[in-house]
Amino acid sequence: MPVDRPDALPAARRPHRLAGGRPGLLAPGGTTDPYRLRLYRLLRTDYPLGYDPDLGAWLLSRYVDVALALTDHRFTGYPHDGAPRGRAPVPLGLCRGSLVCGPLTVPWSTAVPAVERTAYVLARRIAGRDRADLVADFCRWLPAGAAAAAAGLSYPDLSTLPPAARRRRTGGGADGCAGPTALREHALASFLANMLDDPDLLAAARAVATADPPAGGAGEGSGTLLGRAWAETLRRDPPVQIVLRRTRTEVAVSGGTLPADAPVACLIGAAGRDPARFAAPDRFDPLRADADPLLIGPAGCPAALLGRLEAEHGLHALLTAMPGIRWAEGFRPAAGGLLTRGPRALLVRPS
């Protein structure tokens, strides 16, 4: 009989309980894997509103409550009132929540070929191997390598930069949404894992790669198969699992009432898999009819646009250089992390 509740799990895999039986989010046991531990499910069903002393915030886990906190004017940014509020950009998806979500300083016409060129260089380097780790050999290099190429550097020059410099050198500037690349690395790895896990979907993507390259415009591609797969990845496997907000007044939510001036932790990972909002929420389905742009982040955010571009051109380059790419024998991807999350490794057979 399948195990449905956390209290039926072995002791080592149970979420840590706080006073009153409510599971602790950051306590030992809670950060291992909130999905396998059914932590998010338990919070949604039994504890939709509760204060977590370890995190120092009220927890919201149901989609309806998280959506309210992300869009309602009664919530502001965290930790101060000058941070984004209401429908202004919030640090969701790949966006850092900058007050001014400005355009890329590098023209889009320069960014697109830079991403495409870097993706193909990386894919060709992997193609001749018997085995490769896409996280270490592809996902960690593509965002930084594309930014360096857009800035006029050749790809080999990038390998001489220290890690901190690689993460700062981007088209959006060090202080912009597109500055850090770590979240885009996580998101790209999750996207590739989801595509490689579905042979039929991968075959469809391979046919698209053979026939035509991905769309290159800043506003294009979101309705294509790969664009929808990218959006579905951000729903099902968000790189940022928790978004902090603060109430400006008392706010009624489904589990009770939030006090005024209270820190609120929006559990994006739980909301994105809420069965009250999404059919078969654990299933990766790019063609789902109930897709929701809210969990992707602000429309037009440079980081979100670059992330989608890197995912689409990255997969296109991998399938072009390695048409038979597949998981290494016996390998299954495993994600890690709670505040930010992504696969630790993606071991593949290039041919």
Side-chain angles (χ1 to χ4, degrees):
M1 178 179 295
V3 176
D4 291 327
R5 295 189 60 81
D7 51 16
L9 294 172
R13 291 177 52 205
R14 293 178 194 164
H16 180 82
R17 302 294 184 123
L18 300 175
R22 185 173 53 80
L25 196 64
L26 299 181
T31 58
T32 305
D33 191 328
Y35 296 108
R36 290 187 62 192
L37 283 172
R38 296 160 179 84
L39 172 60
Y40 286 158
R41 181 191 303 179
L42 181 63
L43 288 171
R44 283 195 307 263
T45 57
D46 296 351
Y47 305 95
L49 178 63
Y51 185 78
D52 191 317
D54 294 323
L55 190 63
W58 293 82
L59 304 183
L60 295 180
S61 53
R62 292 178 177 175
Y63 174 87
V64 63
D65 297 328
V66 169
L68 182 74
L70 294 177
T71 60
D72 194 279
H73 69 279
R74 292 172 294 176
F75 292 83
T76 185
Y78 183 90
H80 52 80
D81 193 60
R85 68 179 65 176
R87 292 189 178 275
V90 296
L92 177 65
L94 298 176
C95 183
R96 298 177 63 206
S98 300
L99 284 171
V100 179
C101 201
L104 292 171
T105 56
V106 173
W108 195 254
S109 58
T110 301
V112 172
V115 170
E116 182 178 19
R117 181 170 64 253
T118 305
Y120 276 103
V121 169
L122 291 170
R124 285 195 295 268
R125 290 185 176 185
I126 297 171
R129 303 178 189 175
D130 293 330
R131 180 180 168 118
D133 177 3
L134 294 183
V135 170
D137 300 326
F138 193 82
C139 299
R140 289 178 185 167
W141 286 101
L142 179 54
L153 297 176
S154 64
Y155 178 79
D157 291 334
L158 181 65
S159 63
T160 66
L161 297 177
R166 290 202 303 266
R167 280 166 170 74
R168 286 196 300 268
R169 187 176 289 278
T170 69
D175 298 323
C177 263
T181 62
L183 290 182
R184 302 213 306 274
E185 294 169 11
H186 290 326
L188 177 59
S190 294
F191 171 79
L192 294 177
N194 285 328
M195 297 298 292
L196 286 165
D197 254 352
D198 189 327
D200 293 335
L201 186 59
L202 194 64
R206 187 179 294 110
V208 172
T210 302
D212 204 16
E220 301 175 14
S222 58
T224 65
L225 175 62
L226 295 187
R228 291 174 68 96
W230 169 248
E232 175 71 345
T233 293
L234 295 181
R235 175 202 69 84
R236 182 181 180 272
D237 303 294
V240 175
Q241 295 273 308
I242 300 175
V243 169
L244 295 177
R245 304 289 274 164
R246 183 181 290 278
T247 56
R248 304 179 68 205
T249 183
E250 287 190 354
V251 181
V253 293
S254 65
T257 300
L258 286 164
D261 195 34
V264 178
C266 301
L267 306 185
I268 305 301
R273 299 201 191 188
D274 189 342
R277 173 61 181 83
F278 301 101
D282 292 331
R283 185 178 68 207
F284 182 75
D285 181 9
L287 302 181
R288 64 171 54 249
D290 55 4
D292 189 343
L294 175 65
L295 297 180
I296 300 175
C301 171
L305 294 172
L306 280 174
R308 194 206 78 217
L309 191 70
E310 288 157 0
E312 295 183 6
H313 281 283
L315 182 63
H316 185 275
L318 289 171
L319 292 176
T320 300
M322 297 164 273
I325 188 173
R326 61 196 183 278
W327 291 130
E329 185 176 355
F331 175 78
R332 293 296 307 153
L338 178 65
L339 299 179
T340 60
R341 189 170 179 81
R344 301 181 183 91
L346 297 175
L347 301 183
V348 297
R349 292 286 301 274
S351 61

